[in-house]
Amino acid sequence: MNRLKIFFSILLFLTGICLSAFAQDVPKTVVKSAKAKQMLLGTHRFSLQWISWDYFGKAIVSEKRGSLFITGEQKARKGSDYLKMRGVITEVTASEFKFTGTVEMRVSHINQGEICKREGELTFAIKGNRRYWRMQEMDNPCDQVTDYVDIFFK
């Protein structure tokens, strides 16, 4: 049992070093709205309409050394469909945020059930009176469908 504790302690320590090194190389997030930044920080409901608007996943926005990071995941209750998101938020304004990273999804009836990835700079925006940010790159690059990837306000 002690060996297991030592192993996990070392693993956590090394993970912390890697994350710290990564955070040092990441440019600080440009914040043009302090209110919007506060809205973003924390845990949010996260969804892709093909998976469910009834059973949400989670997206978490955290801050380290002036950079905002986002991770998110939604899994289907049945089957192997999922949505994942991971990246660095580069800019926050009153009505949108930009991030550099990856949005990955697998939906059984889209793209022949294969994984589809979007990588690079992506934008999430609030439109009208909506209570969520929606990914603006909605055209699925792997199939002829429109994806609604939403991150809901807390």
Side-chain angles (χ1 to χ4, degrees):
M1 189 65 166
N2 284 339
R3 287 183 184 177
L4 192 57
K5 285 182 181 178
I6 291 170
F7 171 76
F8 281 112
S9 296
I10 291 170
L11 183 63
L12 287 172
F13 175 75
L14 292 174
T15 302
I17 290 173
C18 290
L19 288 175
S20 294
F22 175 71
Q24 289 173 355
D25 294 340
V26 175
K28 291 187 179 190
T29 302
V30 175
V31 177
K32 296 181 178 179
S33 169
K35 181 180 177 184
K37 176 186 170 187
Q38 282 309 117
M39 285 175 58
L40 267 171
L41 285 168
T43 303
H44 304 269
R45 291 179 300 151
F46 182 51
S47 72
L48 171 65
Q49 91 275 20
W50 306 117
I51 297 174
S52 177
W53 272 327
D54 295 320
Y55 306 104
F56 296 93
K58 266 196 251 183
I60 300 170
V61 178
S62 58
E63 182 174 20
K64 186 158 187 156
R65 294 189 177 105
S67 298
L68 298 179
F69 297 87
I70 188 164
T71 59
E73 183 172 29
Q74 180 187 27
K75 292 182 179 180
R77 295 191 99 187
K78 293 181 180 178
S80 58
D81 294 354
Y82 69 87
L83 166 67
K84 292 180 184 178
M85 174 182 188
R86 179 178 208 93
V88 178
I89 296 174
T90 56
E91 183 178 339
V92 177
T93 70
S95 61
E96 68 180 36
F97 70 88
K98 295 178 190 238
F99 92 102
T100 300
T102 304
V103 172
E104 177 182 309
M105 61 186 68
R106 185 203 174 281
V107 178
S108 60
H109 62 275
I110 296 172
N111 190 34
Q112 300 173 348
E114 296 295 321
I115 293 171
C116 183
K117 283 187 183 182
R118 292 171 173 88
E119 295 181 300
E121 185 177 77
L122 300 165
T123 301
F124 281 75
I126 303 166
K127 301 283 178 140
N129 292 328
R130 292 182 177 159
R131 309 273 309 145
Y132 54 84
W133 295 271
R134 176 164 283 167
M135 186 171 71
Q136 298 304 291
E137 295 77 15
M138 293 182 255
D139 290 337
N140 186 304
C142 305
D143 208 330
Q144 293 184 0
V145 296
T146 300
D147 298 321
Y148 300 127
V149 177
D150 298 328
I151 301 170
F152 292 81
F153 300 168
K154 295 181 268 191

